[in-house]
Coordinates of all heavy atoms in Angstrom, one line a residue:
M1 N 42.4 10.8 108.3 CA 42.5 10.4 106.9 C 41.7 11.3 106.1 O 40.6 11.6 106.4 CB 42.1 8.9 106.8 CG 42.3 8.4 105.4 SD 42.2 6.5 105.3 CE 40.4 6.3 105.4
N2 N 42.2 11.6 104.9 CA 41.5 12.4 103.9 C 40.2 11.7 103.6 O 40.2 10.5 103.3 CB 42.4 12.5 102.7 CG 41.7 13.3 101.6 OD1 40.5 13.5 101.5 ND2 42.6 13.9 100.8
D3 N 39.0 12.4 103.5 CA 37.7 11.8 103.2 C 37.7 11.1 101.9 O 37.0 10.2 101.6 CB 36.6 12.8 103.3 CG 36.3 13.2 104.7 OD1 36.7 12.4 105.6 OD2 35.7 14.2 105.0
D4 N 38.6 11.6 100.9 CA 38.6 11.1 99.6 C 39.7 10.0 99.4 O 40.0 9.6 98.3 CB 38.8 12.2 98.6 CG 38.7 11.7 97.2 OD1 37.9 10.8 96.9 OD2 39.5 12.2 96.3
A5 N 40.3 9.6 100.5 CA 41.4 8.6 100.5 C 40.8 7.2 100.3 O 40.4 6.6 101.3 CB 42.3 8.7 101.7
R6 N 40.7 6.8 99.1 CA 39.9 5.6 98.8 C 40.8 4.5 98.1 O 40.2 3.4 97.8 CB 38.8 5.9 97.8 CG 37.9 7.1 98.2 CD 37.1 6.8 99.5 NE 36.3 5.6 99.3 CZ 35.7 5.0 100.3 NH1 35.9 5.4 101.6 NH2 34.9 3.9 100.1
L7 N 42.0 4.8 97.9 CA 42.8 3.8 97.2 C 44.1 3.4 98.0 O 44.7 4.2 98.6 CB 43.3 4.4 95.8 CG 42.2 4.8 94.9 CD1 42.8 5.6 93.7 CD2 41.4 3.7 94.4
R8 N 44.4 2.1 97.8 CA 45.6 1.6 98.5 C 46.4 0.7 97.5 O 45.8 0.0 96.7 CB 45.3 0.8 99.8 CG 45.0 1.7 100.9 CD 44.9 0.9 102.2 NE 44.7 1.9 103.3 CZ 44.0 1.6 104.4 NH1 43.5 0.4 104.6 NH2 43.8 2.5 105.3
F9 N 47.7 0.7 97.7 CA 48.5 -0.3 97.0 C 48.4 -1.6 97.7 O 48.3 -1.7 98.9 CB 50.0 0.2 97.0 CG 50.2 1.4 96.1 CD1 50.5 2.6 96.6 CD2 50.3 1.2 94.7 CE1 50.8 3.7 95.8 CE2 50.6 2.3 93.9 CZ 50.8 3.5 94.4
S10 N 48.6 -2.7 96.9 CA 48.9 -4.0 97.4 C 50.1 -4.6 96.7 O 50.3 -4.3 95.5 CB 47.7 -4.9 97.2 OG 46.5 -4.5 97.8
I11 N 50.8 -5.5 97.4 CA 51.9 -6.2 96.8 C 51.6 -7.7 96.9 O 51.2 -8.2 98.0 CB 53.2 -5.9 97.5 CG1 53.7 -4.5 97.2 CG2 54.3 -6.9 97.0 CD1 55.0 -4.1 97.9
D12 N 51.7 -8.4 95.8 CA 51.6 -9.8 95.8 C 52.9 -10.4 96.2 O 53.9 -10.4 95.4 CB 51.2 -10.3 94.4 CG 50.9 -11.9 94.3 OD1 51.5 -12.6 95.2 OD2 50.2 -12.3 93.5
T13 N 53.0 -10.9 97.4 CA 54.3 -11.3 98.0 C 54.8 -12.6 97.3 O 56.0 -12.9 97.4 CB 54.2 -11.5 99.5 OG1 53.1 -12.4 99.8 CG2 53.9 -10.2 100.2
D14 N 53.9 -13.3 96.6 CA 54.4 -14.5 95.9 C 55.1 -14.1 94.6 O 55.9 -14.9 94.0 CB 53.2 -15.4 95.5 CG 52.6 -16.0 96.7 OD1 53.3 -16.2 97.7 OD2 51.4 -16.4 96.6
I15 N 54.9 -12.9 94.1 CA 55.5 -12.4 92.9 C 56.7 -11.5 93.1 O 57.6 -11.5 92.4 CB 54.4 -11.7 92.0 CG1 53.3 -12.7 91.6 CG2 55.1 -11.1 90.8 CD1 52.1 -12.0 90.9
C16 N 56.6 -10.6 94.2 CA 57.6 -9.7 94.4 C 59.0 -10.3 94.5 O 59.2 -11.4 95.1 CB 57.4 -9.0 95.8 SG 58.7 -7.8 96.3
A17 N 60.0 -9.7 93.8 CA 61.3 -10.3 93.7 C 62.3 -9.4 94.4 O 63.5 -9.6 94.3 CB 61.7 -10.5 92.2
G18 N 61.9 -8.3 95.0 CA 62.8 -7.5 95.8 C 63.6 -6.5 95.0 O 64.7 -6.2 95.4
H19 N 63.1 -6.1 93.8 CA 63.9 -5.1 93.1 C 64.0 -3.8 93.8 O 65.0 -3.0 93.5 CB 63.3 -4.9 91.7 CG 63.2 -6.1 90.9 ND1 64.3 -6.7 90.3 CD2 62.2 -6.9 90.5 CE1 64.0 -7.7 89.6 NE2 62.7 -7.9 89.7
G20 N 63.0 -3.4 94.5 CA 63.1 -2.2 95.3 C 62.7 -0.9 94.7 O 62.8 0.1 95.2
R21 N 62.2 -1.0 93.4 CA 61.8 0.2 92.8 C 60.6 0.9 93.5 O 60.6 2.1 93.5 CB 61.3 -0.1 91.4 CG 62.4 -0.3 90.4 CD 62.0 -0.2 89.0 NE 63.0 -0.8 88.1 CZ 62.8 -0.8 86.8 NH1 61.7 -0.4 86.2 NH2 63.8 -1.3 86.0
C22 N 59.7 0.1 94.1 CA 58.6 0.7 94.7 C 59.0 1.6 95.8 O 58.5 2.8 95.9 CB 57.6 -0.4 95.2 SG 58.4 -1.6 96.2
F23 N 59.8 1.2 96.7 CA 60.1 2.1 97.8 C 61.1 3.1 97.5 O 61.3 4.1 98.2 CB 60.5 1.3 99.1 CG 61.5 0.2 98.9 CD1 62.9 0.5 98.8 CD2 61.2 -1.1 98.8 CE1 63.8 -0.5 98.7 CE2 62.1 -2.1 98.7 CZ 63.4 -1.8 98.6
V24 N 61.8 3.0 96.4 CA 62.7 4.1 95.9 C 61.8 5.2 95.2 O 62.0 6.4 95.5 CB 63.7 3.6 94.9 CG1 64.4 4.8 94.2 CG2 64.7 2.7 95.6
L25 N 60.8 4.8 94.4 CA 60.0 5.7 93.7 C 58.9 6.3 94.6 O 58.5 7.5 94.3 CB 59.3 5.0 92.5 CG 60.2 4.7 91.3 CD1 59.4 3.8 90.3 CD2 60.8 5.9 90.7
A26 N 58.4 5.6 95.5 CA 57.3 6.1 96.3 C 57.5 5.7 97.8 O 56.9 4.9 98.4 CB 56.0 5.5 95.8
P27 N 58.5 6.4 98.4 CA 58.8 6.1 99.8 C 57.7 6.4 100.8 O 57.7 6.0 101.9 CB 60.1 6.9 100.1 CG 60.1 8.0 99.1 CD 59.4 7.4 97.9
D28 N 56.7 7.2 100.3 CA 55.6 7.5 101.2 C 54.5 6.4 101.2 O 53.6 6.4 102.0 CB 54.9 8.8 100.8 CG 54.5 8.8 99.3 OD1 55.0 8.1 98.5 OD2 53.5 9.6 99.0
A29 N 54.7 5.4 100.2 CA 53.7 4.4 100.1 C 54.3 3.0 100.4 O 53.6 2.1 100.7 CB 53.1 4.4 98.7
F30 N 55.6 2.8 100.2 CA 56.3 1.5 100.4 C 57.5 1.7 101.3 O 58.2 2.7 101.3 CB 56.7 1.0 99.0 CG 55.6 0.8 98.0 CD1 55.3 1.8 97.1 CD2 54.9 -0.4 98.0 CE1 54.3 1.7 96.2 CE2 53.9 -0.5 97.1 CZ 53.6 0.5 96.2
V31 N 57.8 0.6 101.9 CA 59.1 0.5 102.7 C 59.7 -0.9 102.3 O 59.1 -1.7 101.7 CB 58.8 0.5 104.2 CG1 58.3 1.9 104.6 CG2 57.9 -0.6 104.6
S32 N 61.0 -1.0 102.7 CA 61.7 -2.2 102.4 C 61.6 -3.1 103.7 O 61.7 -2.6 104.8 CB 63.2 -1.9 102.2 OG 63.9 -3.1 102.1
D33 N 61.4 -4.4 103.5 CA 61.5 -5.2 104.7 C 63.0 -5.5 104.9 O 63.9 -4.9 104.3 CB 60.7 -6.5 104.5 CG 61.3 -7.5 103.5 OD1 62.4 -7.3 103.0 OD2 60.6 -8.5 103.2
D34 N 63.3 -6.4 105.9 CA 64.6 -6.6 106.3 C 65.6 -7.2 105.2 O 66.8 -7.0 105.3 CB 64.7 -7.6 107.5 CG 64.0 -7.0 108.7 OD1 63.9 -5.8 108.8 OD2 63.6 -7.8 109.6
V35 N 65.0 -7.8 104.2 CA 65.8 -8.4 103.2 C 65.6 -7.7 101.8 O 66.0 -8.3 100.8 CB 65.6 -9.9 103.1 CG1 66.3 -10.6 104.3 CG2 64.2 -10.3 102.9
G36 N 65.0 -6.5 101.8 CA 64.9 -5.8 100.5 C 63.6 -6.0 99.7 O 63.5 -5.5 98.6
Y37 N 62.7 -6.7 100.2 CA 61.4 -6.8 99.5 C 60.5 -5.7 99.9 O 60.5 -5.2 101.1 CB 60.7 -8.2 99.9 CG 61.4 -9.4 99.2 CD1 62.6 -9.9 99.8 CD2 60.9 -9.9 98.1 CE1 63.3 -10.9 99.2 CE2 61.6 -11.0 97.5 CZ 62.7 -11.5 98.1 OH 63.4 -12.6 97.5
G38 N 59.6 -5.3 99.0 CA 58.7 -4.2 99.2 C 57.6 -4.6 100.2 O 57.1 -5.7 100.1
Q39 N 57.2 -3.6 101.0 CA 56.0 -3.7 101.8 C 55.2 -2.5 101.7 O 55.8 -1.4 101.6 CB 56.4 -3.9 103.3 CG 57.0 -5.3 103.6 CD 57.3 -5.4 105.1 OE1 57.6 -4.4 105.8 NE2 57.1 -6.6 105.6
V40 N 53.9 -2.6 101.7 CA 53.0 -1.5 101.6 C 52.8 -0.9 103.0 O 52.6 -1.7 103.9 CB 51.7 -1.9 101.0 CG1 50.7 -0.7 100.9 CG2 51.9 -2.5 99.6
N41 N 52.9 0.4 103.1 CA 52.4 1.0 104.4 C 50.9 1.2 104.2 O 50.3 1.0 103.2 CB 53.2 2.3 104.7 CG 52.8 3.4 103.9 OD1 51.7 3.5 103.3 ND2 53.8 4.4 103.7
E42 N 50.3 1.6 105.2 CA 48.8 1.6 105.2 C 48.2 2.9 104.7 O 47.0 3.2 104.9 CB 48.2 1.2 106.6 CG 48.4 -0.3 106.9 CD 47.8 -1.2 105.8 OE1 46.7 -1.0 105.5 OE2 48.6 -2.0 105.3
R43 N 49.0 3.7 104.1 CA 48.5 5.0 103.6 C 47.5 4.8 102.5 O 47.7 3.9 101.6 CB 49.7 5.8 103.1 CG 49.2 7.2 102.7 CD 50.3 8.1 102.2 NE 49.7 9.2 101.5 CZ 50.3 10.0 100.7 NH1 51.6 9.9 100.5 NH2 49.6 11.0 100.2
A44 N 46.4 5.6 102.6 CA 45.4 5.6 101.5 C 45.6 6.9 100.7 O 46.1 7.9 101.2 CB 44.0 5.5 102.1
F45 N 45.2 6.8 99.5 CA 45.4 7.9 98.5 C 44.0 8.3 97.9 O 43.2 7.5 97.7 CB 46.3 7.5 97.4 CG 47.7 7.2 97.8 CD1 48.0 6.0 98.3 CD2 48.7 8.2 97.8 CE1 49.3 5.7 98.7 CE2 50.0 7.9 98.2 CZ 50.3 6.7 98.7
P46 N 43.9 9.6 97.6 CA 42.6 10.0 97.0 C 42.5 9.5 95.6 O 43.5 9.3 94.9 CB 42.7 11.6 97.1 CG 44.1 11.9 97.2 CD 44.7 10.7 97.9
S47 N 41.3 9.4 95.1 CA 41.1 8.9 93.7 C 41.8 9.7 92.7 O 42.1 9.2 91.6 CB 39.6 8.7 93.4 OG 38.9 9.9 93.7
G48 N 42.0 11.0 92.9 CA 42.6 11.9 92.0 C 44.1 11.5 91.8 O 44.7 12.0 90.8
E49 N 44.7 10.7 92.6 CA 46.1 10.3 92.4 C 46.2 8.9 91.7 O 47.2 8.4 91.6 CB 46.8 10.2 93.8 CG 46.9 11.6 94.4 CD 47.8 11.6 95.6 OE1 48.8 10.8 95.7 OE2 47.5 12.3 96.6
R50 N 45.1 8.4 91.2 CA 45.0 7.1 90.5 C 46.1 7.0 89.4 O 46.8 6.0 89.3 CB 43.6 6.9 90.0 CG 43.5 5.5 89.2 CD 43.7 4.4 90.2 NE 43.9 3.1 89.5 CZ 43.3 2.0 89.7 NH1 42.3 2.0 90.6 NH2 43.6 0.9 89.1
R51 N 46.2 8.0 88.6 CA 47.1 8.0 87.5 C 48.6 7.8 88.0 O 49.3 7.0 87.4 CB 46.9 9.2 86.6 CG 47.6 9.1 85.3 CD 47.1 10.1 84.3 NE 47.8 9.9 83.0 CZ 47.4 10.5 81.9 NH1 46.4 11.3 81.9 NH2 48.1 10.3 80.8
A52 N 48.9 8.6 88.9 CA 50.3 8.6 89.5 C 50.5 7.2 90.1 O 51.6 6.6 90.0 CB 50.5 9.7 90.5
M53 N 49.5 6.7 90.8 CA 49.6 5.3 91.4 C 49.8 4.3 90.3 O 50.5 3.3 90.5 CB 48.3 5.1 92.2 CG 48.2 5.9 93.5 SD 46.7 5.6 94.4 CE 47.0 4.1 95.2
D54 N 49.0 4.4 89.2 CA 49.2 3.5 88.1 C 50.6 3.5 87.6 O 51.2 2.4 87.3 CB 48.2 3.8 87.0 CG 46.8 3.4 87.2 OD1 46.6 2.5 88.1 OD2 45.9 3.9 86.6
D55 N 51.2 4.6 87.5 CA 52.6 4.7 87.0 C 53.5 4.0 87.9 O 54.5 3.3 87.5 CB 53.0 6.2 86.9 CG 52.4 6.9 85.7 OD1 51.8 6.2 84.8 OD2 52.4 8.2 85.7
I56 N 53.3 4.1 89.2 CA 54.2 3.4 90.2 C 53.9 1.9 90.1 O 54.9 1.1 90.1 CB 53.9 3.9 91.6 CG1 54.3 5.4 91.7 CG2 54.5 3.1 92.7 CD1 53.8 6.1 93.0
A57 N 52.7 1.5 90.0 CA 52.4 0.1 89.9 C 53.1 -0.5 88.6 O 53.7 -1.6 88.7 CB 50.9 -0.2 89.9
F58 N 53.0 0.2 87.5 CA 53.5 -0.3 86.3 C 55.1 -0.3 86.3 O 55.7 -1.0 85.5 CB 53.1 0.6 85.1 CG 51.7 0.4 84.7 CD1 50.9 1.5 84.3 CD2 51.0 -0.8 84.8 CE1 49.6 1.4 84.0 CE2 49.7 -0.9 84.4 CZ 49.0 0.2 84.0
S59 N 55.7 0.4 87.2 CA 57.1 0.4 87.3 C 57.7 -0.8 88.0 O 58.9 -1.1 87.9 CB 57.6 1.7 88.1 OG 57.4 1.5 89.5
C60 N 56.8 -1.6 88.6 CA 57.3 -2.9 89.2 C 57.7 -3.9 88.1 O 56.8 -4.3 87.3 CB 56.3 -3.4 90.1 SG 56.7 -5.1 90.8
P61 N 58.9 -4.3 88.0 CA 59.3 -5.2 86.9 C 58.6 -6.6 87.0 O 58.5 -7.3 86.0 CB 60.8 -5.4 87.2 CG 61.2 -4.3 88.1 CD 60.0 -4.0 88.9
E62 N 58.0 -6.9 88.1 CA 57.4 -8.2 88.3 C 55.8 -8.1 88.1 O 55.1 -9.2 88.2 CB 57.7 -8.8 89.6 CG 59.2 -9.0 89.9 CD 59.9 -9.9 88.9 OE1 59.3 -10.8 88.4 OE2 61.1 -9.7 88.6
G63 N 55.3 -6.9 88.1 CA 53.9 -6.8 88.0 C 53.2 -7.2 89.3 O 52.1 -7.6 89.4
A64 N 53.9 -7.0 90.4 CA 53.5 -7.4 91.7 C 52.6 -6.4 92.4 O 51.9 -6.8 93.4 CB 54.6 -7.8 92.6
I65 N 52.5 -5.2 91.9 CA 51.8 -4.1 92.6 C 50.4 -4.0 92.0 O 50.3 -3.9 90.8 CB 52.6 -2.8 92.5 CG1 53.9 -2.9 93.2 CG2 51.7 -1.7 93.2 CD1 54.8 -1.7 93.1
S66 N 49.4 -3.9 92.8 CA 48.1 -3.6 92.3 C 47.5 -2.5 93.2 O 48.1 -2.1 94.2 CB 47.2 -4.9 92.3 OG 47.1 -5.4 93.7
I67 N 46.4 -2.0 92.7 CA 45.7 -0.9 93.5 C 44.3 -1.4 93.8 O 43.6 -1.9 92.9 CB 45.7 0.4 92.6 CG1 47.1 0.8 92.3 CG2 44.9 1.5 93.3 CD1 47.2 1.8 91.2
R68 N 43.9 -1.2 95.0 CA 42.6 -1.6 95.4 C 41.8 -0.4 95.9 O 42.4 0.5 96.5 CB 42.6 -2.8 96.3 CG 43.3 -2.4 97.6 CD 43.4 -3.7 98.5 NE 44.2 -3.5 99.7 CZ 43.8 -3.1 100.8 NH1 42.5 -2.9 101.0 NH2 44.6 -2.8 101.8
E69 N 40.5 -0.5 95.7 CA 39.7 0.5 96.3 C 39.2 0.1 97.6 O 38.8 -1.0 97.9 CB 38.5 0.8 95.3 CG 37.7 2.0 95.7 CD 36.7 2.4 94.6 OE1 36.9 1.9 93.5 OE2 35.8 3.2 94.9
I70 N 39.2 1.0 98.6 CA 38.7 0.8 99.9 C 37.2 0.9 99.9 O 36.7 1.9 99.4 CB 39.4 1.7 100.9 CG1 40.9 1.7 100.9 CG2 38.8 1.5 102.3 CD1 41.5 2.8 101.6
T71 N 36.6 -0.1 100.4 CA 35.1 -0.1 100.4 C 34.6 0.0 101.9 O 35.3 -0.4 102.8 CB 34.5 -1.3 99.7 OG1 35.0 -2.5 100.4 CG2 34.9 -1.3 98.3
G72 N 33.4 0.4 102.0 CA 32.8 0.5 103.3 C 33.2 1.7 104.2 O 34.0 2.5 103.8
Ligands
SF4_101 S1 59.2 -3.0 92.8 FE1 57.9 -4.8 92.7 S2 59.4 -6.6 92.8 FE2 60.4 -4.7 93.5 S3 60.2 -4.7 95.7 FE3 58.6 -3.5 94.9 S4 56.9 -4.9 94.6 FE4 58.7 -6.1 94.8

């Protein structure tokens, strides 16, 4: 893993409505489950990609995507 890979996406599964934008826009970060709901893969991203990650998170119509910093 990249030493600067400090950020990960999260999906609030209580909010996700299965629009599928996340895995269409960022197939390296999200996949579809068996019924079309987004799932996060475990890829971490460097902090320099925060802005692009924010754009992807904002593209979710339900606001279900957040970004968390990996600690420790
Ligand atoms: S774009 Fe949002 S609502 Fe649609 S599948 Fe992804 S997380 Fe769920």
Side-chain angles (χ1 to χ4, degrees):
M1 183 168 75
N2 182 335
D3 286 344
D4 187 36
R6 309 294 302 165
L7 301 171
R8 280 191 178 148
F9 288 108
S10 296
I11 292 177
D12 185 332
T13 55
D14 290 335
I15 298 174
C16 175
H19 298 287
R21 283 196 194 179
C22 54
F23 47 81
V24 169
L25 290 173
D28 57 335
F30 300 93
V31 295
S32 172
D33 72 6
D34 292 342
V35 290
Y37 288 79
Q39 288 185 325
V40 178
N41 72 27
E42 286 307 305
R43 182 177 168 198
F45 295 84
S47 53
E49 292 190 34
R50 177 68 195 230
R51 193 163 179 171
M53 293 176 75
D54 282 340
D55 288 345
I56 292 165
F58 289 142
S59 75
C60 173
E62 305 298 330
I65 298 173
S66 59
I67 298 164
R68 63 187 170 91
E69 189 165 346
I70 302 165
T71 56

